[in-house]
């Protein structure tokens, strides 16, 4: 039942109307052996009008027949039983127009290997050629040895199209074996400390069809830069982020031979060695660039951007974060480009002047991220209001923006299509702005009002009227239990963040959970007044939870987390940092109940041992851990007791720290 994309509409509607996924979950968690399989096959093939009564009757049939006589199709009427092919073929494909091999495409490499060891039939399915088109070794970099990687690449060398070695510590011989994958199109060797120019030479000679190449944070030099235009004639995506071993001369090589003229995406983040001349070389050789990312670049100036865009006029997406010397002159230079997405952060030199003619210079802008730009005022918002294509606007930490500017922005056509709006730390905003949002934004899905401390209960009431909203961040506001009760009437919210909200209690969270059965993300971090009661409420009402942060909640205990682990099987992200009462037991419970857990944060968990954390690290993709005493700003000591002015907490002797990271996540994801 991995997918219903190809199933007939009748079956899809039956699934939805009769809550079949919930029935499946109950059978799967409470049943065992072939019993649940027989019942599920019966209910899905016959589609009875009353599924529960049907199940009750079939269970009685199974009891009378005895488990020893149980067959997978015994709950299907004889007239409806399909003519099954030989065992080597799949049943599900005939029964439900599904392909059970599709399941394996959604598994990690480690899980595929495990599945191949279940039985002969599963082993055959894991040998499907297309299953090995994309291999992600980054998820098993601490588990699988080089010799397995070598044998895998040797066996599937003609099928491999995409390889991910992010963060892998491999021998040179292993990297050389990649050259045998003649059909390779995508290669990620970011953060691989042993990847060298010599490794690149072998790969470039054997894999001329590479389209995507991520070399970020490796030790490559100008030698590799010379290889790129010579061998990768069709290269489209290139990341050189934080590669500081090449120089301007290396960028000049990009124009040699056939050159890298098909390049459309380039990431030069952290390459502080590049001068204005280096950007001229890029402009001469890569005129087709449409997506440019340059983060963490304190040496980037207006002249660098000007030199680049003189010949790269096709740029549509631009990311400049951590570039404090960029000013309004850069915006003027970019007027020759057809920008759709632009992102600036932490810049004090960009002012309202950059936005004065934005509707004329960039009429197709759809994404604007101008977080922490202190020079932006209400005047800029007024200039943005005519943008009819705008869907995402991030003005977090733009502290000079107020109700007047937001009202003028929302009065324009830009408000109609806006889907995401981040107004975190825009401390001048009040209930008036939220009322305007509820009136003018029919498609708003994501809203952040973090630390907008002028928001009152009246403003919370207006949020309920934004019917399209699925995610709200009210962290650092004065929201109370009454506000949560009002918010629970929305019914469509899937994500709620109320971190550092000291006016809420267990009662408020319980009431919200009871009415928010589709909740997937909850952040109540640093609400030290909350207790086990909220965890139990989540386990009872919010079983679809995928992300939870209870960092800085010292009253949470093992018993509540055990209940959560037993009920919330879809949990992917969990932050229990500062939950000082939790012990090693919780890690055992998570391994049993939350098998989909990917990210686990447990900083300042004084009662969780280093040994237990090390065992857990092999079960998740990313883990952060230490057993230090909580910092003073947490407001309590290692026992969970509130600090007083006279307390002087010092780190405990033998405090240990362990951080294990197996993969990185994009912000969209991650983010999630």
């Amino acid at each position: 039942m991995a997918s219903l994309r190809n199933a007939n509409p009748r079956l899809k509607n039956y699934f939805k109307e009769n809550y079949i996924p919930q029935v499946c979950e109950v059978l799967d968690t409470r049943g065992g052996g072939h019993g649940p399989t027989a019942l599920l096959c019966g209910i899905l093939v016959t589609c009875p009008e009353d599924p529960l009564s049907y199940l009750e009757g079939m269970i009685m049939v199974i009891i009378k027949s005895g488990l020893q006589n149980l067959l997978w199709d015994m709950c299907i009427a004889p007239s409806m039983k399909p003519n099954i092919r030989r065992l080597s073929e799949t049943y599900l494909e005939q029964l439900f127009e599904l392909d059970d091999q599709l399941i394996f495409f959604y598994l990690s490499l480690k899980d595929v290997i495990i599945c191949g060891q279940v039985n002969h039939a599963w082993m055959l399915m894991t040998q499907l050629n297309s299953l090995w088109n994309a291999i992600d070794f980054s998820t098993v970099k601490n588990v699988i040895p080089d010799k397995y990687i070598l044998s895998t690449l040797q066996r599937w060398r003609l099928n491999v199209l995409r390889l991910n070695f992010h963060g892998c510590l491999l021998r040179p011989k292993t990297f050389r074996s990649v050259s045998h994958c003649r059909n390779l199109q995508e290669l990620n060797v970011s953060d691989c400390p042993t990847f060298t120019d010599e490794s690149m030479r072998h790969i470039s000679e054997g894999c001329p069809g590479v389209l995507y190449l991520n070399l970020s944070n490796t030790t490559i030099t100008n030698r590799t830069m010379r290889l790129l235009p010579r061998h990768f004639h069709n290269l489209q995506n290139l990341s050189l982020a934080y590669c500081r071993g090449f120089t301007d001369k290396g960028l000049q090589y990009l124009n040699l031979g056939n050159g890298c003229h098909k390049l459309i995406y380039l990431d030069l983040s952290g390459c502080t060695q590049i001068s204005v001349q280096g950007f001229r070389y890029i402009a001469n050789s890569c005129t087709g660039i449409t997506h440019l990312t340059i983060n963490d670049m304190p040496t980037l100036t207006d002249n660098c951007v000007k030199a680049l865009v003189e010949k790269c006029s096709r740029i549509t997406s631009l990311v400049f974060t951590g570039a404090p010397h960029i000013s309004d002159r850069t915006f003027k230079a970019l007027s020759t480009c057809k920008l759709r997405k632009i992102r600036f952060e932490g810049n004090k030199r960009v002012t309202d002047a950059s936005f004065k003619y934005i509707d004329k210079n960039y009429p197709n802008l759809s994404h604007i991220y101008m977080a922490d730009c202190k020079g932006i005022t209400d005047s800029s918002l007024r200039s943005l209001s005519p943008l009819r294509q705008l869907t995402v606007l991030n003005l977090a930490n733009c502290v000079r923006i107020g109700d007047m500017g937001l009202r003028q922005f929302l009065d324009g056509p830009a408000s109609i299509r806006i889907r995401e709006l981040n107004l975190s730390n825009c401390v001048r905003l009040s209930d008036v702005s939220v009322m305007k949002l509820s009136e003018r934004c029919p498609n708003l899905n994501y809203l952040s009002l973090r630390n907008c401390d002028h928001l009152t209960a009246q403003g919370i009431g207006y949020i309920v009227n934004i019917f399209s909203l699925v995610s709200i961040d009210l962290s650092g506001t004065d929201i109370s239990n009454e506000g949560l009760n009002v918010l629970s009437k929305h019914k469509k919210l899937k994500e709620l963040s109320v971190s550092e909200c000291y006016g809420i209690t267990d009662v408020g969270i319980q009431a919200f959970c009871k009415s928010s059965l589709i909740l997937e993300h909850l952040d109540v971090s640093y609400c030290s007044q909350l207790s086990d009661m909220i965890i139990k409420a989540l386990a009872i009402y919010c079983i679809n939870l995928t992300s939870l942060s209870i960092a800085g909640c010292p009253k949470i205990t093992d018993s509540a987390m055990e209940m959560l682990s037993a009920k919330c099987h879809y949990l992917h992200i969990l932050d229990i940092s500062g939950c000082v009462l939790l012990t090693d037991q919780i890690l055992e419970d998570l391994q049993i109940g939350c098998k989909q857990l990917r990210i686990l944060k447990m900083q300042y968990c004084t009662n969780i041992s280093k040994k237990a954390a090390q065992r857990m690290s092999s079960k998740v993709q990313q883990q952060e851990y230490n057993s230090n005493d909580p910092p003073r700003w947490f407001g309590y000591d290692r026992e969970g007791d509130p600090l007083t002015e006279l307390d002087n907490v010092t780190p405990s002797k033998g405090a240990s720290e362990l951080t294990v990271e197996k993969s990185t996540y994009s912000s969209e994801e991650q983010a999630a």
Side-chain angles (χ1 to χ4, degrees):
M1 296 183 294
S3 171
L4 285 172
R5 289 178 297 180
N6 299 319
N8 63 60
R10 183 179 68 86
L11 184 57
K12 290 182 179 179
N13 291 334
Y14 185 78
F15 261 60
K16 183 177 180 180
E17 293 173 359
N18 293 283
Y19 302 97
I20 297 301
Q22 287 86 341
V23 174
C24 293
E25 183 174 355
V26 172
L27 291 174
D28 184 54
T29 56
R30 298 186 180 181
H34 298 290
T37 302
L39 292 169
L40 290 177
C41 288
I43 199 172
L44 294 176
V45 173
T46 59
C47 295
E49 293 184 4
D50 188 347
L52 295 180
S53 297
Y54 171 84
L55 286 173
E56 184 178 357
M58 287 298 102
I59 290 173
M60 295 304 298
V61 171
I62 293 174
I63 292 174
K64 291 180 180 180
S65 300
L67 292 177
Q68 67 275 13
N69 298 315
L70 182 63
L71 297 174
W72 71 270
D73 61 348
M74 71 177 300
C75 296
I76 303 176
S79 61
M80 303 184 71
K81 290 185 180 181
N83 295 321
I84 298 300
R85 294 176 288 184
R86 291 288 182 181
L87 185 60
S88 58
E89 300 292 342
T90 173
Y91 297 155
L92 293 179
E93 183 177 1
Q94 280 203 348
L95 288 173
F96 317 125
E97 300 180 21
L98 302 175
D99 183 357
D100 56 355
Q101 290 177 343
L102 183 63
I103 297 173
F104 294 98
F105 286 95
Y106 297 95
L107 300 180
S108 66
L109 177 60
K110 181 179 178 181
D111 291 334
V112 169
I113 295 172
I114 294 173
C115 288
Q117 299 171 351
V118 172
N119 54 44
H120 183 70
W122 281 35
M123 185 272 290
L124 291 177
M125 285 188 285
T126 61
Q127 304 305 309
L128 187 68
N129 288 343
S130 57
L131 190 62
W132 298 92
N133 288 160
I135 307 178
D136 187 357
F137 288 110
S138 68
T139 60
V140 291
K141 60 187 177 184
N142 296 326
V143 180
I144 293 181
D146 281 48
K147 64 179 181 179
Y148 177 83
I149 296 176
L150 285 167
S151 62
T152 301
L153 294 179
Q154 176 63 27
R155 179 172 184 178
W156 303 104
R157 61 188 183 279
L158 299 180
N159 303 100
V160 175
L161 301 178
R162 298 179 292 278
L163 281 176
N164 186 359
F165 291 107
H166 169 76
C168 293
L169 183 62
L170 304 176
R171 294 179 298 177
K173 181 181 179 181
T174 306
F175 282 123
R176 288 199 300 270
S177 67
V178 176
S179 63
H180 300 303
C181 303
R182 301 289 181 178
N183 298 314
L184 189 65
Q185 296 180 3
E186 299 181 11
L187 177 63
N188 184 349
V189 291
S190 59
D191 295 314
C192 292
T194 55
F195 189 85
T196 63
D197 292 327
E198 188 63 15
S199 305
M200 192 73 253
R201 183 181 69 81
H202 287 282
I203 294 173
S204 63
E205 292 174 353
C207 309
V210 170
L211 303 175
Y212 169 95
L213 182 60
N214 190 340
L215 300 171
S216 60
N217 201 23
T218 59
T219 60
I220 59 107
T221 68
N222 289 347
R223 288 181 58 197
T224 289
M225 302 299 289
R226 186 190 288 269
L227 294 170
L228 299 181
R230 182 181 301 174
H231 298 283
F232 299 137
H233 303 154
N234 297 311
L235 189 64
Q236 296 180 3
N237 294 262
L238 176 63
S239 176
L240 299 170
Y242 308 101
C243 294
R244 297 190 174 94
F246 69 89
T247 65
D248 288 345
K249 185 69 174 178
L251 295 172
Q252 188 178 18
Y253 291 148
L254 295 179
N255 204 28
L256 295 177
N258 292 323
C260 293
H261 303 306
K262 295 184 179 180
L263 205 64
I264 58 176
Y265 174 88
L266 181 61
D267 189 346
L268 297 172
S269 300
C271 297
T272 54
Q273 74 275 19
I274 303 177
S275 68
V276 175
Q277 185 59 45
F279 283 98
R280 289 196 182 98
Y281 290 144
I282 295 173
N284 291 332
S285 56
C286 309
T287 57
I289 293 177
T290 58
H291 305 280
L292 180 64
T293 299
I294 308 180
N295 297 325
D296 299 327
M297 196 78 154
T299 57
L300 189 69
T301 64
D302 294 327
N303 289 332
C304 294
V305 179
K306 184 178 179 181
L308 184 66
V309 300
E310 284 179 353
K311 295 185 179 180
C312 297
S313 58
R314 299 180 187 179
I315 295 176
T316 60
S317 176
L318 193 63
V319 180
F320 289 157
T321 64
H325 299 296
I326 294 295
S327 71
D328 294 332
R329 290 177 55 202
T330 287
F331 269 85
K332 185 177 181 180
L334 290 170
S335 61
T336 59
C337 302
K338 298 179 181 179
L339 290 179
R340 293 180 181 273
K341 298 180 181 181
I342 188 167
R343 182 168 186 164
F344 281 57
E345 287 187 16
N347 191 292
K348 297 180 180 180
R349 302 184 66 186
V350 174
T351 68
D352 293 333
S354 295
F355 296 90
K356 190 173 183 180
Y357 302 106
I358 196 168
D359 60 317
K360 296 179 180 178
N361 293 335
Y362 319 111
N364 296 316
L365 269 176
S366 61
H367 292 61
I368 299 178
Y369 301 84
M370 302 298 293
D372 200 23
C373 293
K374 300 299 192 294
I376 294 178
T377 69
D378 287 346
S379 178
S380 293
L381 277 177
R382 183 170 60 248
S383 301
L384 296 177
S385 63
L387 296 176
R388 296 180 180 273
Q389 305 300 320
L390 192 62
T391 58
V392 177
L393 178 61
N394 187 335
L395 297 172
N397 299 319
C398 294
V399 294
R400 299 175 66 184
I401 289 175
D403 290 330
M404 180 63 72
L406 191 60
R407 180 183 64 80
Q408 293 174 332
F409 168 75
L410 295 175
D411 280 336
S415 64
I416 303 301
R417 297 190 63 178
I418 199 75
R419 189 178 71 246
E420 300 180 23
L421 184 60
N422 191 336
L423 300 171
S424 299
N425 296 310
C426 294
V427 294
R428 298 186 181 185
L429 299 180
S430 68
D431 294 342
V432 175
S433 292
V434 184
M435 179 183 68
K436 196 69 175 179
L437 286 170
S438 67
E439 295 172 351
R440 295 287 300 168
C441 300
N443 296 303
L444 188 62
N445 298 142
Y446 301 89
L447 174 63
S448 177
L449 297 171
R450 176 182 286 259
N451 294 329
C452 293
D453 48 16
H454 292 305
L455 190 66
T456 69
Q458 185 179 15
I460 301 296
Y462 294 135
I463 292 175
V464 177
N465 295 326
I466 308 177
F467 302 115
S468 57
L469 204 63
V470 297
S471 175
I472 181 70
D473 188 346
L474 296 171
S475 301
T477 65
D478 292 330
I479 185 172
S480 62
N481 287 345
E482 180 185 356
L484 283 175
N485 191 43
V486 172
L487 205 58
S488 68
K489 298 177 182 179
H490 192 284
K491 302 300 183 183
K492 292 184 179 180
L493 284 179
K494 294 184 177 181
E495 301 178 2
L496 173 66
S497 295
V498 285
S499 174
E500 298 183 89
C501 292
Y502 307 114
I504 62 176
T505 67
D506 293 337
V507 175
I509 295 293
Q510 283 178 304
F512 179 82
C513 291
K514 191 173 183 178
S515 300
S516 305
L517 304 183
I518 62 172
L519 190 68
E520 297 178 0
H521 167 83
L522 178 64
D523 182 357
V524 290
S525 55
Y526 309 108
C527 296
S528 57
Q529 69 277 16
L530 300 181
S531 72
D532 283 349
M533 298 304 295
I534 67 161
I535 304 298
K536 294 177 181 178
L538 289 170
I540 295 172
Y541 303 113
C542 305
I543 62 173
N544 294 315
L545 201 67
T546 60
S547 175
L548 174 64
S549 178
I550 50 175
C553 296
K555 297 180 180 180
I556 306 298
T557 67
D558 286 347
S559 60
M561 293 301 293
E562 180 184 10
M563 186 175 179
L564 183 80
S565 302
K567 297 293 184 180
C568 298
H569 302 301
Y570 307 112
L571 202 61
H572 289 174
I573 303 172
L574 178 62
D575 190 348
I576 54 174
S577 299
C579 294
V580 293
L581 299 184
L582 297 182
T583 68
D584 294 353
Q585 180 61 47
I586 178 56
L587 300 186
E588 296 180 13
D589 295 334
L590 289 173
Q591 291 182 47
I592 296 172
C594 301
K595 296 185 181 298
Q596 297 187 36
L597 191 63
R598 296 292 180 266
I599 301 177
L600 177 60
K601 299 181 180 180
M602 40 186 183
Q603 306 275 8
Y604 315 113
C605 290
T606 55
N607 283 311
I608 294 180
S609 67
K610 183 177 181 180
K611 185 177 181 180
Q614 287 177 326
R615 288 197 300 267
M616 189 66 188
S617 66
S618 64
K619 306 296 182 181
V620 295
Q621 292 181 357
Q622 181 178 330
Q623 177 174 299
E624 298 175 8
Y625 164 78
N626 72 53
S627 58
N628 299 340
D629 288 351
R632 286 188 60 83
W633 59 269
F634 271 47
Y636 54 87
D637 60 21
R638 64 183 291 111
E639 306 298 331
D641 298 324
L643 294 177
T644 65
E645 292 296 328
L646 299 178
D647 284 324
N648 183 19
V649 181
T650 57
S652 60
K653 293 183 179 180
S656 58
E657 181 167 352
L658 176 66
T659 300
V660 179
E661 183 175 334
K662 294 189 177 180
S663 69
T664 57
Y665 288 75
S666 68
S667 56
E668 303 292 334
E669 159 204 349
Q670 269 21 125

